[in-house]
Amino acid sequence: MILTSSSFSDGQPIPGEFAFCTPDPEHHVCLGSNRNPRLAWSDIPAETRSFVLICHDPDVPSRGDDVNQENRRVPASLPRIDFFHWVLFDLPAGLREIREGEFSNDVTPRGKSGPHAPHNTRQGINDYTDWFAGDNDMRGDYYGYDGPCPPWNDEIIHRYVFTLFALDIPTLPVEGKLTGQQVRAAMHGHILAEASLTGTYTLNPLLKA
């Protein structure tokens, strides 16, 4: 199975229009266009009955003490954890692409609605749900795609891994408000094939330079 994108190239930077935040010289960051990238896939197993798409960042700091703090930095040596940016499942077996901006084309304070989405798909909540839990203006359930917004003082460039899974079942046998980890667990034993595409992103001006 092959996964491609005309929005960015594998291993290369993701353009700012697909990010939750973009650089701002006065305030470090500002809200971005937050459009989902275009994705297309081919060489599908004949037994495929649905797809799952997950986007995660494996480079998120395991501790938030230094994150986005003036005159501090998030050290490269800090252990990293997964942060889910998109959890999309029950994509029909006949589908071969997701158009640019089809699932997200802006930042929605308190999160986009869900779980139901285009093409009779369902979406889980992404990890901005937990990130904004203590923010009165932003907290809510963040369904669907919300793009990159790594710490602007992080010493490493973050990776964003888009992985498509071909499944042997038409729908995942789970209901409710689902996280990336829960969808990963629900797929267990049903994956026929998978393909990944990785983009990079940073808000650190020193790394961009």
Side-chain angles (χ1 to χ4, degrees):
M1 194 160 70
I2 301 171
L3 180 64
T4 60
S5 178
S6 56
S7 301
F8 65 94
S9 299
D10 191 32
Q12 298 301 308
I14 295 173
E17 66 184 287
F18 307 110
F20 192 93
C21 290
T22 56
D24 181 275
E26 292 186 12
H27 306 287
H28 298 294
V29 302
C30 62
L31 294 180
S33 299
N34 201 37
R35 294 168 58 81
N36 70 266
R38 178 182 180 270
L39 298 166
W41 48 94
S42 58
D43 293 356
I44 310 305
E47 303 85 0
T48 300
R49 299 189 67 192
S50 70
F51 299 100
V52 170
L53 178 68
I54 291 178
C55 174
H56 79 286
D57 172 1
D59 299 315
V60 168
S62 56
R63 230 182 39 245
D65 313 47
D66 299 316
V67 169
N68 298 336
Q69 299 297 310
E70 295 288 352
N71 302 315
R72 294 162 75 175
R73 57 187 176 81
V74 178
S77 60
L78 185 70
R80 305 294 168 141
I81 59 174
D82 286 348
F83 185 105
F84 290 92
H85 284 265
W86 198 5
V87 183
L88 176 61
F89 51 101
D90 295 352
L91 283 86
L95 193 66
R96 291 295 179 269
E97 75 165 332
I98 290 171
R99 297 189 306 274
E100 188 176 296
E102 185 174 13
F103 285 79
S104 176
N105 57 18
D106 59 14
V107 171
T108 305
R110 300 186 179 274
K112 290 183 280 291
S113 62
H116 300 291
H119 304 293
N120 292 318
T121 60
R122 289 185 289 162
Q123 298 186 114
I125 56 170
N126 62 56
D127 283 339
Y128 284 107
T129 302
D130 289 338
W131 177 255
F132 287 125
D135 187 323
N136 288 332
D137 295 324
M138 296 293 285
R139 66 183 174 194
D141 290 334
Y142 281 72
Y143 282 93
Y145 177 82
D146 284 302
C149 187
W152 50 258
N153 61 340
D154 203 333
E155 288 187 337
I156 69 170
I157 295 174
H158 286 223
R159 295 164 293 163
Y160 297 84
V161 185
F162 293 80
T163 306
L164 184 76
F165 302 88
L167 305 188
D168 64 1
I169 51 177
T171 61
L172 284 185
V174 286
E175 299 291 339
K177 186 171 68 174
L178 301 171
T179 66
Q181 295 287 13
Q182 290 170 322
V183 169
R184 279 179 174 173
M187 287 191 292
H188 184 71
H190 296 288
I191 299 172
L192 299 170
E194 63 183 84
S196 293
L197 182 67
T198 300
T200 64
Y201 198 76
T202 181
L203 291 167
N204 188 333
L206 298 178
L207 297 181
K208 291 179 75 70

